[in-house]
Amino acid sequence: QVQLVESGGGLVQAGGSLRLSCAASGSIININAMGWYRQAPGKQRELVAAITSGSSTNYADSVKGRFTISRDNAKNTVYLQMNSLKPEDTAVYYCNVKGVHGSAWWRDEFDYWGQGTQVTVSS
């Protein structure tokens, strides 16, 4: 079993910054891709940023130059630094972690989502 705990959301004025964190724990053997998605009311969930085990990154065009994704492999944690926030960034942000978990007797791939954290940007 793998647990994801998100933190760092909140209310901020336009132009402000927030930093989201997502820590994974449990019987993790290795983590491959980690990412952040968001879902605004009435819209589909969309990819915001992703980072591979080799630290290659991918960003949605709407956040390039403003958001930075990073990971701490020792802590099994992924971060999203969000600068120059805009009202259109308002959404529930979810982390997603893919990897392998198990023990000496079994192993299996996993693909888990965090519980979501609200980010609200006021104009």
Side-chain angles (χ1 to χ4, degrees), residues 8-45:
L11 173 64
V12 65
Q13 289 188 332
S17 299
L18 285 173
R19 189 191 194 210
L20 306 182
S21 299
C22 174
S25 62
S27 54
I28 297 170
I29 295 174
N30 66 269
I31 292 178
N32 299 322
M34 308 179 87
W36 288 96
Y37 292 71
R38 67 186 180 188
Q39 187 167 18
K43 295 187 177 181
Q44 290 189 333
R45 190 173 297 187

Side-chain angles (χ1 to χ4, degrees), residues 3-10 18-25 34-37 68-72 75-82 93-97 113-119:
Q3 297 80 39
L4 301 182
V5 177
E6 296 183 27
S7 61
L18 285 173
R19 189 191 194 210
L20 306 182
S21 299
C22 174
S25 62
M34 308 179 87
W36 288 96
Y37 292 71
T68 302
I69 189 170
S70 61
R71 60 190 285 173
D72 184 333
K75 297 181 179 179
N76 288 335
T77 299
V78 61
Y79 305 96
L80 185 68
Q81 178 66 44
M82 303 185 293
Y93 284 69
Y94 299 89
C95 67
N96 176 258
V97 177
W113 292 88
Q115 79 277 12
T117 185
Q118 178 70 46
V119 171

